[in-house]
Amino acid sequence: MRVDAPPNLGHVRIDLDGEETLQLLHPKALLAFHGDPRHREDRFMDLSGMYRKRKLIKSELRGPASLILGMMPGCLMEVVDIPEDSNLLFDFRHVLFYTDGMTMKSRVQTFKNAWITRELVRMRFSGPGRIGLLSSGSIATLQLDPYVPLFVEAGSLVAYPENASIKLSVYGNPLATQHMNVQWEMTGTGPILMQTGFRDSALEDQIHKDSIVRRTLRELLPFGGVYIR
């Protein structure tokens, strides 16, 4: 399987060879299919998939074929290789597709983790195989440490090890904790996957909008509209 996901173009191209098979969890994202029409079969998801995706149907696509998948504005897609012994628990909402032959199991979280993450069920994929992940910004990988905590913005986490220790927290001095979003404090072993895009309305206003001083000078000074941008 070859995946071409150029940034800022709003689409992904996937080429399937021979008998390669892809499970597409967002069928409406499929904008073009170049191949034998019999190589697309839509099927009902199991109950856990329906619950997590709020959808009823997934598409099974077989090669040889070429696909064009559309991306939502502001979203990127990255492919992650999943080894056979992976114990990562994924937020199913980020999963766009996975390759055939992978094992997908629902994991009911402990009461503590479910209360912290506000998710009763997460999905564990066992490979070998590949997963296409939707994210805001690119996907970054960080390694957990059994003793030194890792603090992660709560809305940025995509996947974490099943045996990780999690609790809600803030960090830094009192001023930092007052202006900080809730963090997940994590310890353990293994990698976590996080999306790196973020939204800060105050920063966007500073970047994209004029200050009062600049607008005033532009209007009052001769040729202010020319020299003050």
Side-chain angles (χ1 to χ4, degrees):
M1 181 180 73
R2 297 180 300 279
V3 179
D4 183 17
N8 303 321
L9 289 187
H11 71 270
V12 175
R13 179 189 176 96
I14 300 176
D15 295 314
L16 299 175
D17 295 328
E19 294 301 317
E20 289 181 327
T21 303
L22 196 71
Q23 305 293 333
L24 180 64
L25 303 184
H26 291 275
K28 290 186 177 180
L30 183 58
L31 303 182
F33 178 84
H34 189 193
D36 189 329
R38 295 172 297 179
H39 287 184
R40 171 177 174 167
E41 295 184 23
D42 285 9
R43 299 179 178 179
F44 287 104
M45 287 187 178
D46 58 22
L47 291 178
S48 61
M50 293 179 187
Y51 170 75
R52 298 307 308 154
K53 282 291 188 183
R54 306 294 195 270
K55 297 177 183 294
L56 298 177
I57 295 175
K58 66 177 181 178
S59 293
E60 181 178 285
L61 306 168
R62 291 183 287 118
S66 296
L67 325 171
I68 296 293
L69 304 180
M71 296 289 102
M72 295 179 293
C75 280
L76 298 177
M77 196 282 293
E78 292 197 25
V79 178
V80 177
D81 292 316
I82 303 297
E84 185 175 359
D85 58 350
S86 173
N87 68 343
L88 289 178
L89 298 181
F90 283 84
D91 183 339
F92 205 35
R93 293 169 295 186
H94 288 277
V95 180
L96 175 62
F97 66 79
Y98 60 93
T99 54
D100 201 39
M102 297 187 65
T103 302
M104 179 180 66
K105 294 182 179 180
S106 301
R107 284 289 190 264
V108 178
Q109 300 199 87
T110 64
F111 176 80
K112 173 188 173 183
N113 284 1
W115 182 80
I116 292 173
T117 63
R118 298 183 181 180
E119 294 178 336
L120 179 61
V121 178
R122 281 217 164 202
M123 306 307 297
R124 175 173 173 173
F125 290 89
S126 298
R130 307 175 78 187
I131 292 179
L133 295 176
L134 292 172
S135 64
S136 173
S138 60
I139 296 290
T141 302
L142 298 173
Q143 293 292 328
L144 292 179
D145 186 279
Y147 307 106
V148 181
L150 171 66
F151 296 91
V152 181
E153 185 89 12
S156 297
L157 199 61
V158 175
Y160 59 86
E162 187 172 11
N163 57 1
S165 174
I166 306 172
K167 63 181 180 180
L168 293 178
S169 181
V170 290
Y171 63 95
N173 66 359
L175 182 60
T177 60
Q178 292 173 20
H179 298 277
M180 182 182 300
N181 292 329
V182 174
Q183 308 284 308
W184 287 12
E185 181 181 339
M186 310 182 70
T187 54
T189 57
I192 65 112
L193 304 179
M194 60 177 293
Q195 56 183 357
T196 57
F198 83 107
R199 294 294 301 273
D200 187 329
S201 57
L203 178 60
E204 290 177 354
D205 287 342
Q206 293 176 23
I207 293 175
H208 298 295
K209 294 183 179 180
D210 289 339
S211 67
I212 295 177
V213 174
R214 290 175 65 88
R215 289 201 303 268
T216 302
L217 292 176
R218 186 183 294 116
E219 294 177 4
L220 294 180
L221 294 178
F223 304 104
V226 176
Y227 296 109
I228 301 176
R229 296 291 183 180

